Amino acid sequence: MALLRRTLLLLLLIVTHQFLQFRIAFGSVNEEGQKQEEFYEELLLKPLPDRKLLTHFHFQSSAPPSTSNGRHHHLFPKAISQLVLKFQVKEMELSFTQGRWNYESWGGFDPIPSSNAKPPGVELWAVFDAPQHLIDALWKNLTHTLSGLFCASINFLESSTAYSAPEWSFPPASGKLRYGTLPREAVCTENLTPWLKLLPCRDKAGISMLLDRPSIYRGFYHSQRLHLTSTGSGSEGMDPGIILEQTLTVVLQPDSQRASLAHASEKHFQPSWSLSSIFGKQISGRCVLAETSNVYFLLDKGLVAELEHIHKENEKSEENVLISEKFWNNPSFELSAKPDRIFIEESSLLSKNASVLYKFEIEKYGESEPFDLGLFWKTPVVWLCQQAPLHANRFLMGSGNERGAIAISLKSTQSSEGFMGSNSNDERCELRVDVFQVVPWYVKVYFHSLQVFVDQQPKAVSDIIEKIHVSPSKDKVSPGVMELVLTLPCSVSSAVLTIEFDKGFLHIDEYPPDANQGFDIPSAIVSFPNFHARMVFLENDSLNKSPLLSKFQEKSPVMSYTEVLLVPLTTPDFSMPYNVITITCTVFALYFGSLLNALRRRVAEEERFLKDKAAKKMDRIPLLLSKLSAKLRGRHLEGPQAPPASSSFINSKSVLKVILIAGLAVYWQYYFS
């Protein structure tokens, strides 16, 4: 009977353990049978025209409203939930970026560059659900918390001179929004490791296993982004639901494996690659805590059109090899793995050019058969990525350390005519452009000097600028903010905005250690509200379970960032204080050293030292002979006598030194006073 009880108890413990593991892996279930917490991991691979590869990691964690007050979660990171509750954050985005997105070569109209291409350094913006008078205090506390959480200098944004409050030009703009950037912040592994700790499996399992540090940081561009949205709670006394998106966008250069082939000298031949050759690792299964784990391979519209053109020239067949059953062995390229599903962009119903998306499910692979997707090109391919309506650049004008000007240049892209539609030649057709720019307080901008040039012709500001909001800077208090809404004709080829400024002076304590390098002006944001970066695929049940594809279907305005400007300011000669301190310390050292040496010297000890020194100079043999002769004569041996005037000479020499040094000190004090 006792053995039976022990067996039943053991079985009960095993069942309880398995049930707890099931709840942890798939989220706890509430009374209504709905999952409370979910986690998704996805990876998007996309070849770029300039022989590079875009890798976009997308992780999403969600926690619905609960009564735990942020004290316990199964999958969702506890630090993020406590941050949302403590600082009443409604929406927030934090990005760490190294490098600059190349809009001309990598495109600017797709959802990835519009949402994930960020300015160099650190960018942080947050919308608070709190009274207006508490927002600044919550922002300062939030910056300190994020600084400690991600091992960065985000706490420098606490100062009112480092952040601004956009009114309407920034996409999530509202009266409770705060925005700040640190263009010179260096991004390294210390920022990536805390970011990975927010994932349930970290980088130990699933798609995150590919995040090899050397492979990521040797890329041309990488940006890690964290975006959270707080959803309203159903009733009072419950914590709000939170959706956390973690994305990592990296542009890498695959190593070409065709050096020995005939096409290796071809400039337009795309390099072949695989996951193991790029990251040095393979995916050995999915994260057990993830609802879905998928890898996508995307061919954009320009590449699909070029591949179809090559296929027609070869005249192999009339069927579309990109979506056929034997697509992995077509005349253009070859994939090393067979995809589970193929998605075609919805625009293909109206036009022949449409993006093609291949889906690979990681749950079918494991340690015995790891997933290692590879792409092998067979023919050279040349194409262009889809561009934004206007390409934005920003540069400085003027010379010297007193005055200057900022210019924003907007140039039409070749693909803008297709965006404008058939009414591009209509005089009533207008293109709306929003410009948001923040200028530090030491760059004193004269907003009345704003000038507009359209197609190299000066235009009245009132004819082009539909709406403007200006917040002048205050010395050592707040930066200057300029928000513009431009209405340009659809047939515009170029437009330039110029505004003049004066360079201010800083206190010596306000200069950074590398002041001679210059001071940064953050990137300006240029957005096109009438154009939306969106990719809609044919309806499928799997689309609802993919946060990445659902994000592509959302309407987000096309947005681009300009360059960071480096402004040289008048800097003092930092070596002059060093020289003054050095010579002053030298004089004081000589004065006090000689004075103390003269005061602490003793005459009797010096005479004894001279006697000992003279005795040591005598040879031993003469000394022994003198001692022997003295004993024979019955006399005592006397040591060498010092000159009688030595004591008085030493005393007078010391007094002269003291008098001379005291005179020099009095003259020095009188001269500098």
Side-chain angles (χ1 to χ4, degrees):
M1 191 68 178
L3 181 61
L4 180 61
R5 290 180 180 178
R6 292 179 181 178
T7 305
L8 293 176
L9 181 60
L10 180 61
L11 291 175
L12 181 61
L13 291 176
I14 293 175
V15 172
T16 305
H17 177 70
Q18 295 293 334
F19 178 72
L20 291 176
Q21 282 190 343
F22 178 81
R23 291 191 62 181
I24 294 175
F26 296 97
S28 58
V29 181
N30 57 14
E31 296 178 357
E32 298 178 358
Q34 297 179 355
K35 294 181 180 180
Q36 290 189 353
E37 298 178 10
E38 295 177 343
F39 172 70
Y40 302 87
E41 58 175 4
E42 294 170 300
L43 170 62
L44 177 69
L45 303 172
K46 176 184 175 182
L48 298 175
D50 57 347
R51 301 171 55 85
K52 295 180 179 60
L53 177 67
L54 171 66
T55 59
H56 178 69
F57 296 84
H58 186 274
F59 307 96
Q60 178 171 312
S61 304
S62 60
S66 63
T67 57
S68 63
N69 196 21
R71 290 190 297 266
H72 178 71
H73 288 281
H74 295 285
L75 299 177
F76 197 83
K78 181 179 179 181
I80 299 299
S81 62
Q82 292 180 344
L83 182 144
V84 172
L85 294 175
K86 184 175 181 62
F87 304 118
Q88 305 179 34
V89 178
K90 184 177 181 181
E91 188 176 3
M92 187 194 76
E93 182 174 292
L94 174 65
S95 63
F96 298 86
T97 307
Q98 180 176 337
R100 184 175 181 269
W101 183 268
N102 190 349
Y103 290 94
E104 295 181 352
S105 300
W106 305 340
F109 200 82
D110 297 336
I112 292 180
S114 296
S115 302
N116 299 277
K118 297 299 177 181
V122 172
E123 183 191 43
L124 172 65
W125 60 264
V127 180
F128 298 92
D129 188 11
Q132 193 70 30
H133 65 280
L134 297 177
I135 292 180
D136 290 334
L138 292 174
W139 167 266
K140 293 180 181 179
N141 295 330
L142 177 64
T143 56
H144 281 271
T145 303
L146 293 175
S147 179
L149 185 61
F150 292 99
C151 300
S153 303
I154 309 176
N155 57 319
F156 288 169
L157 294 175
E158 70 164 350
S159 174
S160 59
T161 60
Y163 68 89
S164 59
E167 293 292 336
W168 38 263
S169 61
F170 200 72
S174 65
K176 300 179 180 180
L177 171 69
R178 295 295 181 267
Y179 174 86
T181 59
L182 295 173
R184 201 171 292 188
E185 178 71 14
V187 184
C188 60
T189 310
E190 294 180 354
N191 309 125
L192 181 61
T193 302
W195 185 85
L196 289 173
K197 288 183 178 180
L198 301 178
L199 302 176
C201 294
R202 299 189 179 183
D203 57 346
K204 305 302 180 182
I207 294 177
S208 58
M209 293 179 61
L210 299 176
L211 298 178
D212 180 56
R213 273 60 163 189
S215 302
I216 293 175
Y217 289 102
R218 71 165 177 258
F220 290 85
Y221 171 88
H222 72 86
S223 176
Q224 64 182 63
R225 170 176 162 269
L226 182 144
H227 182 273
L228 64 88
T229 305
S230 176
T231 59
S233 59
S235 60
E236 296 183 359
M238 296 185 66
D239 299 338
I242 307 172
I243 298 177
L244 174 64
E245 296 179 12
Q246 295 178 247
T247 62
L248 178 62
T249 306
V250 187
V251 177
L252 301 171
Q253 175 66 63
D255 297 331
S256 179
Q257 302 175 358
R258 290 178 166 270
S260 60
L261 299 180
H263 296 287
S265 60
E266 183 67 33
K267 296 181 180 179
H268 304 301
F269 211 103
Q270 296 292 324
S272 301
W273 52 265
S274 64
L275 293 179
S276 58
S277 64
I278 295 174
F279 298 103
K281 297 181 180 179
Q282 300 176 353
I283 304 177
S284 58
R286 70 180 184 92
C287 175
V288 295
L289 302 177
E291 295 287 332
T292 58
S293 180
N294 302 319
V295 174
Y296 299 96
F297 178 69
L298 177 64
L299 302 177
D300 61 3
K301 297 179 180 179
L303 179 56
V304 171
E306 182 64 23
L307 293 177
E308 290 180 353
H309 178 70
I310 295 175
H311 177 65
K312 290 180 180 180
E313 289 182 353
N314 295 333
E315 296 180 354
K316 297 293 183 181
S317 62
E318 295 183 357
E319 65 176 353
N320 190 348
V321 296
L322 298 177
I323 59 175
S324 64
E325 296 181 356
K326 298 182 179 180
F327 66 92
W328 59 85
N329 189 15
N330 65 68
S332 301
F333 65 90
E334 180 181 355
L335 293 176
S336 62
K338 180 181 178 180
D340 299 291
R341 292 188 181 182
I342 304 175
F343 302 103
I344 305 175
E345 194 176 358
E346 198 173 38
S347 59
S348 62
L349 302 176
L350 303 177
S351 117
K352 295 183 179 180
N353 298 333
S355 301
V356 179
L357 186 69
Y358 302 127
K359 177 183 177 181
F360 302 87
E361 297 179 358
I362 305 300
E363 60 183 7
K364 298 181 179 180
Y365 300 88
E367 295 182 358
S368 60
E369 185 183 357
F371 178 76
D372 186 15
L373 178 63
L375 176 64
F376 185 82
W377 291 96
K378 299 180 180 180
T379 58
V381 183
V382 180
W383 78 96
L384 295 176
C385 290
Q386 198 171 6
Q387 302 291 329
L390 298 175
H391 182 67
N393 286 321
R394 191 178 60 163
F395 51 90
L396 290 175
M397 299 190 304
S399 60
N401 291 331
E402 185 178 0
R403 296 184 179 87
I406 300 175
I408 299 178
S409 175
L410 303 173
K411 294 183 179 180
S412 177
T413 57
Q414 297 179 358
S415 58
S416 61
E417 297 180 358
F419 298 149
M420 304 302 177
S422 59
N423 298 328
S424 59
N425 296 326
D426 192 355
E427 296 180 355
R428 295 175 296 177
C429 179
E430 294 179 346
L431 173 63
R432 178 179 171 180
V433 182
D434 292 352
V435 179
F436 171 70
Q437 183 170 253
V438 179
V439 182
W441 66 267
Y442 45 79
V443 178
K444 305 179 184 301
V445 177
Y446 297 104
F447 295 100
H448 71 277
S449 63
L450 180 63
Q451 295 181 355
V452 182
F453 299 88
V454 178
D455 295 335
Q456 300 181 358
Q457 298 295 328
K459 298 290 184 180
V461 176
S462 59
D463 296 339
I464 302 299
I465 298 179
E466 178 182 351
K467 188 177 180 182
I468 183 172
H469 173 261
V470 172
S471 177
S473 62
K474 298 180 181 179
D475 290 352
K476 304 179 183 181
V477 176
S478 62
V481 181
M482 182 177 65
E483 302 175 77
L484 302 175
V485 174
L486 309 179
T487 54
L488 302 173
C490 294
S491 59
V492 63
S493 60
S494 65
V496 179
L497 303 175
T498 62
I499 188 168
E500 299 178 0
F501 66 87
D502 283 350
K503 301 178 182 180
F505 293 93
L506 297 150
H507 192 267
I508 190 171
D509 296 336
E510 297 172 344
Y511 285 94
D514 53 349
N516 292 317
Q517 180 181 351
F519 294 79
D520 296 312
I521 296 181
S523 300
I525 303 176
V526 180
S527 58
F528 306 92
N530 297 334
F531 299 90
H532 298 88
R534 186 183 184 190
M535 297 178 65
V536 180
F537 297 94
L538 297 178
E539 293 295 334
N540 194 295
D541 295 339
S542 61
L543 296 180
N544 299 328
K545 299 179 181 180
S546 174
L548 178 60
L549 300 184
S550 301
K551 198 71 178 178
F552 284 175
Q553 296 183 6
E554 296 180 0
K555 286 187 176 182
S556 58
V558 176
M559 183 188 303
S560 60
Y561 290 85
T562 63
E563 300 87 350
V564 176
L565 296 181
L566 188 64
V567 181
L569 296 183
T570 302
T571 56
D573 185 6
F574 293 101
S575 64
M576 194 62 187
Y578 171 77
N579 296 335
V580 173
I581 293 172
T582 303
I583 190 172
T584 304
C585 293
T586 304
V587 171
F588 274 96
L590 291 174
Y591 171 73
F592 285 104
S594 302
L595 182 61
L596 291 175
N597 188 24
L599 294 177
R600 291 177 60 85
R601 181 179 298 172
R602 296 181 180 180
V603 179
E605 292 182 0
E606 187 172 357
E607 291 178 353
R608 191 182 305 111
F609 174 75
L610 293 175
K611 290 180 181 180
D612 295 340
K613 188 175 181 181
K616 289 180 181 179
K617 288 183 179 180
M618 298 178 63
D619 295 333
R620 294 184 178 180
I621 296 176
L623 182 61
L624 292 175
L625 293 176
S626 61
K627 288 184 178 180
L628 182 59
S629 62
K631 287 184 178 181
L632 293 175
R633 296 177 183 179
R635 300 179 180 179
H636 295 285
L637 181 64
E638 296 181 358
Q641 299 294 331
S646 60
S647 178
S648 60
F649 175 74
I650 293 173
N651 292 334
S652 61
K653 187 176 180 181
S654 301
V655 173
L656 288 176
K657 283 185 178 181
V658 173
I659 294 174
L660 180 59
I661 294 173
L664 289 175
V666 172
Y667 174 75
W668 179 273
Q669 182 68 21
Y670 174 76
Y671 177 76
F672 281 97
S673 62

